[in-house]
Amino acid sequence: MRIGEVARRSGVSARMLRHYDAVGLAAPSGRSSAGYREYSADDIVRIFHVESLRALGLSLKEVGQALDDPDFAPGEMVAELEVRTRARIAREEDLLARLRTVADAGADRWEQVLEVVALLSGLESGDASSRQRAALSAEAMSGERLARALLDEDDLNVAGALRWALARSGDDPTSVLITALADRDAQVRRRAVSVLVETPGERAVVALRSAVADGDPTVRSRAVLGLADRGDPDVVPALIDLVVDGVADVDAGEALGVIAADGAADMIVAAVVERLGSDAAVRRRIAQALGEIVGPAAASALNRLADDSDEGVAVTARYLIGRR
């Protein structure tokens, strides 16, 4: 087939076919009786291969290498393309977030637009002091944008300024934070749950409950303690898990004491005592948690632990009994 017919049947323009020919990517290999160059069936198959690889985002040079290199590894190519695509999506999402920020700020004059863009640049600066100054003057920023900046911030002073600005904005950042709880980066999830703890509303409570099952112990403990601070009685088993696992166990013990004071002491003590096992370190932490709970049930459990076979557990229990 000659170039015009190939263009009609393949959907690839004649101009692009000539370009493929010029760069040596897909050239007609035959000649008609009149001397015209013609594409063979194999040439057309190669054209479709070229188009398929271009659709995946490969450059023409990479397409040529993929088709001509017998050792070419498709799996490596797909993995690299995935990385590129994610980076491109991240850039596009950042641009979209910037546009939303400008729109939310109600900037209807170029001076206002430039002011918002300058503020965004300040929040993204590599200098922590510049980011902090930007956060403290971020009255034009939406809560969503401030929350996103907070999720990326590792400087405690800047994070504090962003939290202040977020509180002043009056916006609900819960949607952004819920999305962040699914992030692969544990640091992002930790920042998200820390903000959720300070965020009012039932949606924040639901998000915190989902974070109780997070694989990162810091995320999990912050969510559990945040729910305990809200007086959620359903979080008692998770608090006991923290005590047993030695993750924020002191804070968890104090939280159990607060919840127990509302009339649940006997139930909590029974659940705690059930977790006593052969590990002396666990029994010592349980004794410390029982020391935070008032009432006869906790006192009875401590009296039993005062005779524990492990001297460290026994000493801890006797000390706590003496403080009651």
Side-chain angles (χ1 to χ4, degrees):
M1 281 187 285
R2 291 173 60 180
I3 189 170
E5 188 175 358
V6 172
R8 286 193 300 273
R9 294 193 179 189
S10 69
V12 182
S13 69
R15 180 179 180 182
M16 185 57 70
L17 289 172
R18 292 191 185 95
H19 183 60
Y20 290 167
D21 184 5
V23 299
L25 195 56
S29 59
R31 291 277 182 180
S32 69
S33 57
Y36 292 107
R37 302 177 71 192
E38 291 190 334
Y39 289 88
S40 67
D42 288 342
D43 297 334
I44 294 172
V45 169
R46 185 176 174 93
I47 290 170
F48 281 117
H49 286 169
V50 170
E51 289 294 297
S52 297
L53 291 173
R54 285 190 66 217
L56 289 177
L58 269 69
S59 67
L60 293 182
K61 181 179 179 181
E62 290 170 327
V63 169
Q65 292 172 340
L67 294 177
D68 297 333
D69 183 358
D71 297 324
F72 180 74
E76 294 178 7
M77 176 199 71
V78 171
E80 183 178 346
L81 287 173
E82 182 179 357
V83 172
R84 288 189 206 169
T85 302
R86 290 186 183 279
R88 185 177 68 251
I89 291 172
R91 290 194 298 270
E92 294 295 327
E93 288 181 341
D94 183 65
L95 175 59
L96 181 59
R98 283 171 171 267
L99 293 171
R100 284 177 180 165
T101 299
V102 173
D104 292 344
D108 54 5
R109 298 194 309 275
W110 274 118
E111 293 82 0
Q112 293 173 314
V113 171
L114 294 174
E115 181 181 349
V116 174
V117 172
L119 186 54
L120 285 171
S121 297
L123 289 173
E124 296 164 1
S125 170
D127 177 59
S129 60
S130 297
R131 297 198 304 275
Q132 185 174 12
R133 286 194 298 271
L136 293 173
S137 60
E139 294 183 5
M141 291 288 102
S142 68
E144 178 180 338
R145 183 67 198 194
L146 289 169
R148 291 185 187 280
L150 185 53
L151 291 172
D152 292 334
E153 185 55 62
D154 56 6
D155 184 281
L156 294 179
N157 291 326
V158 181
L162 286 167
R163 287 175 187 271
W164 175 82
L166 181 58
R168 288 194 64 189
S169 74
D171 293 340
D172 183 1
T174 308
S175 296
V176 175
L177 301 174
I178 290 173
T179 301
L181 286 178
D183 197 281
R184 295 180 180 180
D185 188 341
Q187 286 290 355
V188 172
R189 302 199 305 277
R190 291 172 185 176
R191 293 166 190 152
V193 78
S194 295
V195 181
L196 279 167
V197 166
E198 301 172 356
T199 302
E202 184 60 28
R203 292 181 67 214
V205 172
V206 172
L208 287 172
R209 286 173 180 160
S210 71
V212 169
D214 194 277
D216 181 77
T218 301
V219 174
R220 189 166 61 249
S221 63
R222 289 178 183 175
V224 171
L225 293 171
L227 290 168
D229 286 343
R230 296 176 189 242
D232 187 346
D234 294 335
V235 82
V236 166
L239 285 168
I240 297 174
D241 286 341
L242 293 182
V243 171
V244 172
D245 295 340
V247 179
D249 51 293
V250 174
D251 292 333
E254 292 177 353
L256 286 171
V258 172
I259 296 175
D262 289 334
D266 289 354
M267 179 271 291
I268 291 176
V269 170
V272 168
V273 170
E274 282 184 0
R275 304 296 294 274
L276 288 169
S278 59
D279 190 328
V282 172
R283 297 200 302 277
R284 189 158 54 248
R285 290 195 293 270
I286 286 178
Q288 290 168 341
L290 289 169
E292 299 291 339
I293 302 173
V294 298
S300 176
L302 283 171
N303 283 327
R304 292 198 301 272
L305 287 172
D307 296 325
D308 194 272
S309 59
D310 181 85
E311 185 63 20
V313 176
V315 168
T316 299
R318 288 195 290 267
Y319 168 75
L320 293 169
I321 292 170
R323 288 181 53 194
R324 299 180 77 82

